[in-house]
């Protein structure tokens, strides 16, 4: 099959990103509308309420009614799900709803037997399914690609010594850059002190809105035992690891299999290696085809995210968000170029040009796993990294190397401690560096996992875990940003390791 050439795909994707953000902010989810569905007789009815002055929950046996004001749409939804979880019965009384024909007259509405309260969809969020198709197509490739390419990658390293050398370099690069990233996060958070700049009002608002979500995340995580996590890297059943999408287990099995293939007779190993090689190539070719829908997919994803969450939430937590974003920028555009300069001959501009598609996909999907196929393709084709290095370094990096996530976790931990008035001493900050490095290895390369692993870090230094409620509102947007850093770190790693092994194949990019 001839390679499908897409004229100026980067520009199309970039335009889709900008247009998606504009579209999402114009056709955004209405902040003063709620859709209430309730049981009436035997059927469920829905009503849309718009523009209330006061939204009250009346709970039998409780003297005070719980009241919310005009701008508290998210708080109302969270409080309702809390009541539902506790199976409490309640009535809703809404006052101050303007009549459409005469805005001066205020209406009162009551609801009982309420089944759900939700935001009303908008065009920007209604098209999210198109973006979901795009993410699913990319994620569909990720697991067979990791399996096939890591197996071939490990087998093609030839002997155990070469494997140990490249493996050692890869792991060291990943660990060192992660430690640098968290340190940047900690230094910035200690200098700027974003937690001390948060108003008591915002603190109360964030806690009341997101405590419900936060406690369900804490409950789901359960207890975390590092020894058990190490044991869990070894799959009891590799097929189950594939069906569960457990990346660390898949990596373990693939690398092990690849190594063994280099130890059995050539006659038996080569058909298998050819098979995996063919599978890996087909997966990469699939990326070309899937990329045809990238502009539409990116547009839909960004418009849905901006339409639902908006950028205004960033204003509420402006100092915290700014520290995370500045930290990520320093690491992405400062640390990696320095490392590339020291350890490779590649020009910074060539590097960033080569991976701009990777960065846009990472930003719009928030998933290193979904971005992996694109990263492998760009590193091979645009940066000249050999197939055996990309096959080994990138799948490993997508799973265990998360500099952006680690940096954000460092800032978040200090921020939450500052809001709660907890002074973190030097030992505690070192503990954060160690736990965040380990946690970033265990973080699955999918959206929103960074905040769950943050719970472990908070626990390790005695910061109340419920504090994640403070930062949940902006997490989605920051997740998009930190995923850019995560995938850039993987690509920089591939270039650096390839350079050290003289495996940059492009003559003009070569280190030789
Ligand atoms: N979304 C991130 C990734 O896939 C992980 C996280 O920080 O939540 O790289």
């Amino acid at each position: 099959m001839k390679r499908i050439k897409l004229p100026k795909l980067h520009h199309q994707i970039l335009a889709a990103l900008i247009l998606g953000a504009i579209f999402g902010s114009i056709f955004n989810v209405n902040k003063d509308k709620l859709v209430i569905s309730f049981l009436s007789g035997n059927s469920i009815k829905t009503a849309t309420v718009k523009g209330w002055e006061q939204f009250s929950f009346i709970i039998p046996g409780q003297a005070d009614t719980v009241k919310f004001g005009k701008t508290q749409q998210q708080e109302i939804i969270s409080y309702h799900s809390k009541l539902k979880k506790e199976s409490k019965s309640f009535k809703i009384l809404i006052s101050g709803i303007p009549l459409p024909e005469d805005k001066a007259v205020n209406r009162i509405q009551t609801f009982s037997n309420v089944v759900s309260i939700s935001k009303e969809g908008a065009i920007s969020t209604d098209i999210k399914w198109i973006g979901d198709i795009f993410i699913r197509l990319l994620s569909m490739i990720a697991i067979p690609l990791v399996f096939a390419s890591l197996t071939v990658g490990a087998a093609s390293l030839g002997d155990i010594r070469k494997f140990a050398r490249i493996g050692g370099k890869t792991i060291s690069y990943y660990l060192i850059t992660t430690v640098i990233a968290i340190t940047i996060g900690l230094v910035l958070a200690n200098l700027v002190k974003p937690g001390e700049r948060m108003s008591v009002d915002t603190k109360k608002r964030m806690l009341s809105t997101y405590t419900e979500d936060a406690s369900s995340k804490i409950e789901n995580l359960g207890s975390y035992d590092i020894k058990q996590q190490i044991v869990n890297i070894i799959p009891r059943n590799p097929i189950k690891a594939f069906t569960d999408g457990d990346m660390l287990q898949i990596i373990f099995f693939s690398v092990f299999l690849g190594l063994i293939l280099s130890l059995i007779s050539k006659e038996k190993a080569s058909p298998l290696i050819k098979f995996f090689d063919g599978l890996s190539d087909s997966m990469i070719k699939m990326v070309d085809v899937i990329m045809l829908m990238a502009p539409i997919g990116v547009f839909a994803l960004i418009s849905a995210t901006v339409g639902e969450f908006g950028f205004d939430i960033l204003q509420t937590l402006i100092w915290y968000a700014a520290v995370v974003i500045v930290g990520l920028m320093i690491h992405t555009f400062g640390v990696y170029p320095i490392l590339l300069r020291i350890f490779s001959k590649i020009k910074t501009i060539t590097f960033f040009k080569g991976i701009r598609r990777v960065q846009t996909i990472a930003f719009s999907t928030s998933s290193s796993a979904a971005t992996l196929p694109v990263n492998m393709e760009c590193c091979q084709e645009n940066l000249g990294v050999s197939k055996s290095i990309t096959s080994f370094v990138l799948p490993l990096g997508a799973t265990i190397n998360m500099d952006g996530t680690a940096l954000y976790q460092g800032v978040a931990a200090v921020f939450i401690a500052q809001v709660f008035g907890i002074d973190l001493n030097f030992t505690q900050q070192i503990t954060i560096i160690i736990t965040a490095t380990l946690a970033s290895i265990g973080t699955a390369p999918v959206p929103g996992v960074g905040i769950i692993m943050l719970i472990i870090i908070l626990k390790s230094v005695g910061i109340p875990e419920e504090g994640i409620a403070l930062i949940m509102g902006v997490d989605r947007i920051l997740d998009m940003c930190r995923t850019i850093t995560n995938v850039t770190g993987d690509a920089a790693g591939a270039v650096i390791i390839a350079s050290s092994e003289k495996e940059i194949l492009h003559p003009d990019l070569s280190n030789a």
Side-chain angles (χ1 to χ4, degrees), residues 6 88 110 120 137 162 190 255 286 358 366 377 475:
L6 292 169
K88 283 209 174 137
T110 52
E120 193 187 50
L137 283 168
K162 189 171 177 199
N190 281 299
V255 172
M286 261 192 204
V358 181
S366 277
E377 197 196 26
D475 199 61

Side-chain angles (χ1 to χ4, degrees), residues 34-35 52 55 57 59 66 68 71-88 90 92 115-119 204-216 308-309 313 469 472-473:
L34 278 170
V35 180
W52 58 89
F55 198 113
F57 288 87
I59 302 155
V66 181
F68 295 94
T71 53
Q72 292 187 293
Q73 185 197 49
Q74 187 57 46
E75 283 91 331
I76 294 169
I77 295 174
S78 302
Y79 188 71
H80 171 251
S81 52
K82 180 174 172 241
L83 290 179
K84 256 188 98 179
K85 209 167 147 202
E86 291 167 359
S87 314
K88 283 209 174 137
F90 60 91
I92 288 173
V115 183
S116 70
I117 302 181
S118 55
K119 296 176 191 172
K204 263 203 211 143
R205 230 183 87 201
M206 292 296 133
L207 287 177
S208 80
T209 312
Y210 296 104
T211 294
E212 217 19 60
D213 276 355
S215 35
S216 75
E308 186 175 353
F309 300 98
I313 184 88
M472 276 172 87

Side-chain angles (χ1 to χ4, degrees), residues 192-195 197-199 202 206 311-326 411 415 470-471 474 478:
V192 181
K193 301 197 191 321
R197 293 169 194 265
M198 190 188 206
S199 71
T202 318
M206 292 296 133
F311 286 120
D312 19 335
I313 184 88
L314 280 179
Q315 282 164 17
T316 337
L317 289 165
I318 192 78
W319 284 104
Y320 161 71
V323 171
V324 173
I325 292 171
V326 169
V411 176
F415 171 75
L470 292 169
I471 54 167
V474 284
L478 295 184

Side-chain angles (χ1 to χ4, degrees), residues 193-436:
K193 301 197 191 321
E196 289 174 16
R197 293 169 194 265
M198 190 188 206
S199 71
V200 181
D201 236 29
T202 318
K203 176 182 167 183
K204 263 203 211 143
R205 230 183 87 201
M206 292 296 133
L207 287 177
S208 80
T209 312
Y210 296 104
T211 294
E212 217 19 60
D213 276 355
S215 35
S216 75
K217 280 198 162 53
I218 295 167
E219 259 169 47
N220 285 346
L221 179 72
S223 64
Y224 188 87
D225 176 6
I226 183 83
K227 282 184 227 137
Q228 195 52 42
Q229 291 310 311
I230 295 172
V231 173
N232 282 349
I233 294 177
I234 302 158
R236 262 209 202 103
N237 173 358
I239 309 294
K240 188 163 184 301
F242 288 116
T243 53
D244 290 349
D246 190 321
M247 284 292 207
L248 278 180
Q249 293 192 345
I250 298 171
I251 287 177
F252 181 84
F253 182 72
S254 319
V255 172
F256 205 175
L257 178 64
L259 281 180
I260 296 299
L261 284 177
S262 61
L263 297 180
I264 62 170
S265 76
K266 259 219 164 102
E267 186 200 338
K268 286 192 177 147
S270 65
L272 263 182
I273 295 178
K274 274 197 186 130
F275 167 78
F276 285 124
D277 204 17
L279 182 61
S280 154
D281 276 5
S282 335
M283 293 300 121
I284 301 239
K285 189 58 82 183
M286 261 192 204
V287 181
D288 279 351
V289 181
I290 294 168
M291 276 300 133
L292 290 172
M293 79 164 290
I296 308 170
V298 167
F299 177 87
L301 286 171
I302 296 294
S303 109
T305 313
V306 174
E308 186 175 353
F309 300 98
F311 286 120
D312 19 335
I313 184 88
L314 280 179
Q315 282 164 17
T316 337
L317 289 165
I318 192 78
W319 284 104
Y320 161 71
V323 171
V324 173
I325 292 171
V326 169
L328 292 175
M329 285 171 85
I330 295 175
H331 197 69
T332 310
F333 302 110
V335 174
Y336 296 136
I338 294 174
L339 293 176
L340 286 167
R341 194 150 243 220
I342 301 173
F343 298 107
S344 82
K345 289 254 165 76
I346 204 158
K347 286 203 185 89
T348 307
I349 186 90
T350 316
F351 174 74
F352 282 110
K353 262 190 171 171
I355 61 155
R356 55 191 167 181
R357 197 194 301 176
V358 181
Q359 292 187 322
T360 344
I361 301 294
F363 183 71
S364 34
T365 60
S366 277
S367 163
S368 304
T371 314
L372 173 67
V374 189
N375 209 352
M376 287 179 74
E377 197 196 26
C378 288
C379 282
Q380 275 177 41
E381 293 191 0
N382 304 343
L383 304 178
V385 179
S386 75
K387 198 173 158 199
S388 75
I389 296 291
T390 47
S391 307
F392 183 74
V393 175
L394 290 178
L396 205 64
T399 314
I400 68 168
N401 181 44
M402 302 221 177
D403 296 351
T405 301
L407 187 150
Y408 136 87
Q409 286 168 334
V411 176
V414 176
F415 171 75
I416 296 170
Q418 286 167 351
V419 175
F420 286 122
I422 302 169
D423 243 345
L424 293 174
N425 61 27
F426 186 69
T427 328
Q428 282 170 310
Q429 308 233 11
I430 298 288
T431 313
I432 293 180
I433 296 184
I434 297 168
T435 25

Side-chain angles (χ1 to χ4, degrees), residues 366-369 402 405 443-451 479 482-483 486:
S366 277
S367 163
S368 304
M402 302 221 177
T405 301
T443 306
V446 287
V449 186
I451 197 163
D479 192 3
R482 65 189 187 240
T483 309
N486 291 347

